[in-house]
Amino acid sequence: MKIEAQSVEEYIHALESDRQDVYKKLYNTVASNLPKGFTACMQYGFPSFVVSLDDYPAGYHCTPNTPLPFVSVGAQKNFLALYHMGIYANPDLMDWFVTEYPKHAKSKLDMGKSCIRFKRITDIPFDLIADLMKRMTVKEWIHIYELNFKK
């Protein structure tokens, strides 16, 4: 499912009507719980939160003129997704999240390296997502990124 959108509002408007409210709630949960310093934008086709080039001029190693990605909130054909680069790069954060997830959700955790998939949109653990967002600052993300990815 590829949505062509230039803004978060366009992205949400392009979703099926029965997914719009849940998507908005997930996006707003992320947005309202991230530490200061992350910038909202559209990146790689998804509403995202990044470290701006003003704050990290080196940019993303794959495309240096691109802000450093951190979190994206996407809608795929069969699920909503939270792409969290910090959880992929920080094993302690990953372990915490995997341990906490069953305490907050009825469904089994469906997760890739940085992608958390929510197939049952009625079972998204918003409180856990809020807590996850609070656990990494811009400074911590840059440090972890440089340790793990920047060569």
Short mmCIF file of all heavy atoms in Angstrom, two decimals, residues 37-44 46 48-72 85 138 141-142 145 150:
data_model
loop_
_atom_site.label_atom_id
_atom_site.label_comp_id
_atom_site.label_asym_id
_atom_site.label_seq_id
_atom_site.Cartn_x
_atom_site.Cartn_y
_atom_site.Cartn_z
N GLY A 37 13.20 18.04 20.35
CA GLY A 37 14.33 18.01 19.43
C GLY A 37 14.09 17.19 18.18
O GLY A 37 14.76 17.40 17.17
N PHE A 38 13.15 16.26 18.22
CA PHE A 38 12.82 15.51 17.00
C PHE A 38 11.89 16.37 16.16
O PHE A 38 11.06 17.11 16.68
CB PHE A 38 12.16 14.17 17.34
CG PHE A 38 13.11 13.17 17.96
CD1 PHE A 38 13.08 12.92 19.32
CD2 PHE A 38 14.04 12.50 17.18
CE1 PHE A 38 13.96 12.02 19.90
CE2 PHE A 38 14.93 11.60 17.75
CZ PHE A 38 14.89 11.36 19.11
N THR A 39 12.04 16.27 14.85
CA THR A 39 11.26 17.09 13.91
C THR A 39 10.30 16.21 13.14
O THR A 39 10.70 15.16 12.62
CB THR A 39 12.23 17.79 12.93
OG1 THR A 39 13.16 18.58 13.67
CG2 THR A 39 11.48 18.66 11.95
N ALA A 40 9.06 16.65 13.03
CA ALA A 40 8.06 15.92 12.24
C ALA A 40 8.22 16.27 10.77
O ALA A 40 8.46 17.44 10.42
CB ALA A 40 6.66 16.28 12.72
N CYS A 41 8.09 15.26 9.90
CA CYS A 41 8.17 15.48 8.46
C CYS A 41 7.62 14.24 7.75
O CYS A 41 7.28 13.25 8.38
CB CYS A 41 9.61 15.74 8.02
SG CYS A 41 10.72 14.31 8.18
N MET A 42 7.57 14.31 6.44
CA MET A 42 7.30 13.13 5.63
C MET A 42 8.66 12.62 5.18
O MET A 42 9.48 13.39 4.67
CB MET A 42 6.43 13.47 4.42
CG MET A 42 5.02 13.87 4.75
SD MET A 42 4.02 12.56 5.50
CE MET A 42 3.88 11.39 4.17
N GLN A 43 8.92 11.33 5.40
CA GLN A 43 10.20 10.75 4.99
C GLN A 43 9.95 9.33 4.51
O GLN A 43 9.29 8.55 5.20
CB GLN A 43 11.21 10.78 6.14
CG GLN A 43 12.62 10.40 5.70
CD GLN A 43 13.61 10.48 6.84
OE1 GLN A 43 13.41 9.86 7.88
NE2 GLN A 43 14.68 11.23 6.64
N TYR A 44 10.49 9.01 3.36
CA TYR A 44 10.33 7.68 2.77
C TYR A 44 8.86 7.28 2.65
O TYR A 44 8.49 6.12 2.82
CB TYR A 44 11.12 6.63 3.55
CG TYR A 44 12.60 6.94 3.61
CD1 TYR A 44 13.21 7.29 4.80
CD2 TYR A 44 13.38 6.93 2.45
CE1 TYR A 44 14.57 7.60 4.86
CE2 TYR A 44 14.73 7.25 2.50
CZ TYR A 44 15.32 7.58 3.70
OH TYR A 44 16.64 7.90 3.74
N PHE A 46 6.32 8.10 4.59
CA PHE A 46 5.58 7.97 5.85
C PHE A 46 5.71 9.23 6.70
O PHE A 46 6.75 9.88 6.71
CB PHE A 46 6.12 6.82 6.70
CG PHE A 46 5.97 5.46 6.11
CD1 PHE A 46 7.09 4.70 5.79
CD2 PHE A 46 4.72 4.92 5.86
CE1 PHE A 46 6.97 3.44 5.25
CE2 PHE A 46 4.58 3.65 5.33
CZ PHE A 46 5.71 2.91 5.02
N SER A 48 6.91 10.93 9.73
CA SER A 48 8.10 10.51 10.47
C SER A 48 8.57 11.58 11.44
O SER A 48 8.17 12.74 11.36
CB SER A 48 9.24 10.22 9.48
OG SER A 48 8.88 9.21 8.57
N PHE A 49 9.47 11.15 12.30
CA PHE A 49 10.15 12.04 13.22
C PHE A 49 11.63 11.79 13.05
O PHE A 49 12.08 10.64 13.08
CB PHE A 49 9.69 11.78 14.66
CG PHE A 49 8.23 12.07 14.83
CD1 PHE A 49 7.28 11.08 14.60
CD2 PHE A 49 7.80 13.34 15.16
CE1 PHE A 49 5.93 11.34 14.70
CE2 PHE A 49 6.44 13.62 15.27
CZ PHE A 49 5.50 12.61 15.04
N VAL A 50 12.37 12.87 12.84
CA VAL A 50 13.77 12.77 12.46
C VAL A 50 14.61 13.73 13.30
O VAL A 50 14.08 14.60 13.99
CB VAL A 50 13.96 13.11 10.96
CG1 VAL A 50 13.15 12.17 10.08
CG2 VAL A 50 13.59 14.57 10.67
N VAL A 51 15.93 13.58 13.17
CA VAL A 51 16.86 14.58 13.68
C VAL A 51 17.20 15.44 12.47
O VAL A 51 17.74 14.94 11.48
CB VAL A 51 18.13 13.93 14.27
CG1 VAL A 51 19.08 15.01 14.78
CG2 VAL A 51 17.77 12.96 15.39
N SER A 52 16.87 16.71 12.53
CA SER A 52 17.03 17.60 11.38
C SER A 52 18.51 17.77 11.01
O SER A 52 19.41 17.53 11.82
CB SER A 52 16.43 18.97 11.68
OG SER A 52 17.25 19.68 12.59
N LEU A 53 18.72 18.19 9.78
CA LEU A 53 20.08 18.46 9.33
C LEU A 53 20.70 19.63 10.09
O LEU A 53 21.92 19.70 10.22
CB LEU A 53 20.09 18.73 7.82
CG LEU A 53 19.80 17.50 6.96
CD1 LEU A 53 19.59 17.90 5.50
CD2 LEU A 53 20.90 16.46 7.08
N ASP A 54 19.88 20.53 10.61
CA ASP A 54 20.41 21.61 11.45
C ASP A 54 21.01 21.06 12.73
O ASP A 54 22.03 21.55 13.21
CB ASP A 54 19.30 22.61 11.81
CG ASP A 54 18.86 23.45 10.63
OD1 ASP A 54 19.62 23.58 9.65
OD2 ASP A 54 17.73 23.98 10.68
N ASP A 55 20.39 20.02 13.28
CA ASP A 55 20.87 19.43 14.53
C ASP A 55 21.91 18.33 14.30
O ASP A 55 22.69 18.03 15.20
CB ASP A 55 19.69 18.85 15.32
CG ASP A 55 18.77 19.93 15.84
OD1 ASP A 55 19.26 21.05 16.12
OD2 ASP A 55 17.55 19.68 15.93
N TYR A 56 21.89 17.73 13.12
CA TYR A 56 22.85 16.67 12.80
C TYR A 56 23.20 16.80 11.32
O TYR A 56 22.65 16.11 10.47
CB TYR A 56 22.26 15.29 13.12
CG TYR A 56 23.29 14.18 13.02
CD1 TYR A 56 24.34 14.09 13.92
CD2 TYR A 56 23.21 13.24 12.00
CE1 TYR A 56 25.29 13.08 13.83
CE2 TYR A 56 24.15 12.21 11.91
CZ TYR A 56 25.19 12.14 12.82
OH TYR A 56 26.12 11.14 12.71
N PRO A 57 24.12 17.73 10.99
CA PRO A 57 24.44 18.04 9.59
C PRO A 57 24.97 16.86 8.78
O PRO A 57 24.84 16.86 7.55
CB PRO A 57 25.51 19.14 9.70
CG PRO A 57 25.36 19.71 11.07
CD PRO A 57 24.83 18.59 11.93
N ALA A 58 25.53 15.85 9.43
CA ALA A 58 26.05 14.70 8.69
C ALA A 58 24.93 13.93 8.01
O ALA A 58 25.15 13.23 7.02
CB ALA A 58 26.83 13.78 9.62
N GLY A 59 23.72 14.03 8.54
CA GLY A 59 22.58 13.34 7.95
C GLY A 59 22.68 11.83 8.03
O GLY A 59 23.53 11.27 8.72
N TYR A 60 21.77 11.19 7.33
CA TYR A 60 21.68 9.73 7.32
C TYR A 60 22.79 9.17 6.44
O TYR A 60 22.97 9.62 5.31
CB TYR A 60 20.29 9.34 6.80
CG TYR A 60 19.92 7.89 6.92
CD1 TYR A 60 20.30 7.14 8.02
CD2 TYR A 60 19.16 7.28 5.93
CE1 TYR A 60 19.92 5.81 8.13
CE2 TYR A 60 18.78 5.95 6.04
CZ TYR A 60 19.16 5.23 7.14
OH TYR A 60 18.80 3.91 7.24
N HIS A 61 23.52 8.17 6.90
CA HIS A 61 24.69 7.67 6.17
C HIS A 61 24.36 7.16 4.77
O HIS A 61 25.17 7.25 3.88
CB HIS A 61 25.43 6.59 6.98
CG HIS A 61 24.69 5.29 7.10
ND1 HIS A 61 23.67 5.12 8.03
CD2 HIS A 61 24.81 4.12 6.44
CE1 HIS A 61 23.21 3.88 7.92
NE2 HIS A 61 23.88 3.26 6.97
N CYS A 62 23.16 6.63 4.58
CA CYS A 62 22.77 6.13 3.26
C CYS A 62 22.55 7.27 2.26
O CYS A 62 22.85 7.13 1.09
CB CYS A 62 21.48 5.31 3.36
SG CYS A 62 21.63 3.85 4.38
N THR A 63 22.02 8.36 2.76
CA THR A 63 21.77 9.56 1.95
C THR A 63 22.08 10.77 2.82
O THR A 63 21.19 11.28 3.51
CB THR A 63 20.31 9.61 1.44
OG1 THR A 63 19.45 9.38 2.55
CG2 THR A 63 20.05 8.59 0.36
N PRO A 64 23.34 11.23 2.82
CA PRO A 64 23.78 12.27 3.76
C PRO A 64 23.00 13.59 3.72
O PRO A 64 23.01 14.33 4.69
CB PRO A 64 25.24 12.49 3.36
CG PRO A 64 25.66 11.22 2.72
CD PRO A 64 24.43 10.70 2.02
N ASN A 65 22.31 13.87 2.63
CA ASN A 65 21.53 15.11 2.59
C ASN A 65 20.12 14.92 3.16
O ASN A 65 19.27 15.79 3.03
CB ASN A 65 21.45 15.64 1.16
CG ASN A 65 20.77 14.66 0.21
OD1 ASN A 65 20.68 13.47 0.50
ND2 ASN A 65 20.29 15.14 -0.91
N THR A 66 19.89 13.79 3.81
CA THR A 66 18.59 13.45 4.38
C THR A 66 18.68 13.48 5.91
O THR A 66 19.64 12.97 6.48
CB THR A 66 18.18 12.02 3.93
OG1 THR A 66 18.16 11.98 2.52
CG2 THR A 66 16.82 11.64 4.46
N PRO A 67 17.68 14.06 6.58
CA PRO A 67 17.68 14.04 8.04
C PRO A 67 17.76 12.61 8.59
O PRO A 67 17.28 11.67 7.96
CB PRO A 67 16.35 14.69 8.41
CG PRO A 67 15.98 15.52 7.23
CD PRO A 67 16.52 14.77 6.03
N LEU A 68 18.34 12.49 9.75
CA LEU A 68 18.51 11.19 10.40
C LEU A 68 17.16 10.64 10.86
O LEU A 68 16.51 11.22 11.72
CB LEU A 68 19.46 11.35 11.60
CG LEU A 68 19.78 10.10 12.41
CD1 LEU A 68 20.49 9.06 11.53
CD2 LEU A 68 20.67 10.48 13.59
N PRO A 69 16.70 9.52 10.27
CA PRO A 69 15.39 8.96 10.66
C PRO A 69 15.42 8.42 12.08
O PRO A 69 16.43 7.92 12.54
CB PRO A 69 15.17 7.82 9.66
CG PRO A 69 16.43 7.63 8.92
CD PRO A 69 17.37 8.74 9.25
N PHE A 70 14.28 8.50 12.75
CA PHE A 70 14.14 7.92 14.08
C PHE A 70 12.89 7.06 14.17
O PHE A 70 12.96 5.86 14.41
CB PHE A 70 14.15 9.00 15.16
CG PHE A 70 14.08 8.45 16.55
CD1 PHE A 70 15.06 7.57 17.01
CD2 PHE A 70 13.05 8.79 17.41
CE1 PHE A 70 14.99 7.04 18.31
CE2 PHE A 70 12.99 8.28 18.70
CZ PHE A 70 13.96 7.40 19.14
N VAL A 71 11.71 7.66 13.98
CA VAL A 71 10.45 6.93 14.08
C VAL A 71 9.55 7.32 12.91
O VAL A 71 9.46 8.49 12.56
CB VAL A 71 9.71 7.26 15.40
CG1 VAL A 71 8.32 6.64 15.43
CG2 VAL A 71 10.51 6.80 16.61
N SER A 72 8.89 6.31 12.33
CA SER A 72 7.87 6.56 11.32
C SER A 72 6.61 5.79 11.71
O SER A 72 6.70 4.74 12.37
CB SER A 72 8.33 6.09 9.94
OG SER A 72 9.44 6.83 9.50
N MET A 85 13.78 3.20 14.77
CA MET A 85 15.19 2.88 14.54
C MET A 85 15.96 2.68 15.85
O MET A 85 16.88 1.87 15.91
CB MET A 85 15.84 3.99 13.72
CG MET A 85 15.28 4.13 12.32
SD MET A 85 15.65 2.72 11.27
CE MET A 85 17.40 3.00 11.00
N VAL A 138 17.20 12.92 21.55
CA VAL A 138 17.93 13.16 20.31
C VAL A 138 19.42 12.88 20.52
O VAL A 138 20.05 12.20 19.70
CB VAL A 138 17.71 14.62 19.82
CG1 VAL A 138 18.68 14.97 18.70
CG2 VAL A 138 16.28 14.82 19.35
N TRP A 141 20.03 9.19 20.69
CA TRP A 141 19.85 8.56 19.39
C TRP A 141 21.06 8.82 18.50
O TRP A 141 21.57 7.91 17.84
CB TRP A 141 18.56 9.01 18.72
CG TRP A 141 18.44 8.56 17.29
CD1 TRP A 141 18.09 9.33 16.24
CD2 TRP A 141 18.65 7.24 16.76
NE1 TRP A 141 18.08 8.59 15.07
CE2 TRP A 141 18.43 7.29 15.38
CE3 TRP A 141 19.03 6.03 17.32
CZ2 TRP A 141 18.56 6.19 14.54
CZ3 TRP A 141 19.16 4.91 16.48
CH2 TRP A 141 18.93 5.00 15.12
N ILE A 142 21.56 10.03 18.48
CA ILE A 142 22.74 10.34 17.66
C ILE A 142 23.93 9.50 18.13
O ILE A 142 24.65 8.93 17.31
CB ILE A 142 23.07 11.85 17.70
CG1 ILE A 142 22.00 12.63 16.94
CG2 ILE A 142 24.45 12.12 17.12
CD1 ILE A 142 22.10 14.15 17.12
N TYR A 145 23.34 5.87 17.10
CA TYR A 145 23.45 5.81 15.64
C TYR A 145 24.91 5.80 15.22
O TYR A 145 25.34 4.98 14.40
CB TYR A 145 22.70 6.98 15.02
CG TYR A 145 22.99 7.15 13.55
CD1 TYR A 145 22.43 6.29 12.61
CD2 TYR A 145 23.83 8.16 13.10
CE1 TYR A 145 22.71 6.43 11.27
CE2 TYR A 145 24.10 8.31 11.76
CZ TYR A 145 23.55 7.44 10.85
OH TYR A 145 23.83 7.58 9.52
N LYS A 150 27.25 4.51 11.70
CA LYS A 150 28.14 5.45 11.01
C LYS A 150 29.55 4.90 11.06
O LYS A 150 30.13 4.73 12.11
CB LYS A 150 28.07 6.81 11.68
CG LYS A 150 28.82 7.85 10.93
CD LYS A 150 27.91 8.92 10.47
CE LYS A 150 28.77 9.86 9.66
NZ LYS A 150 28.23 11.05 9.35
#
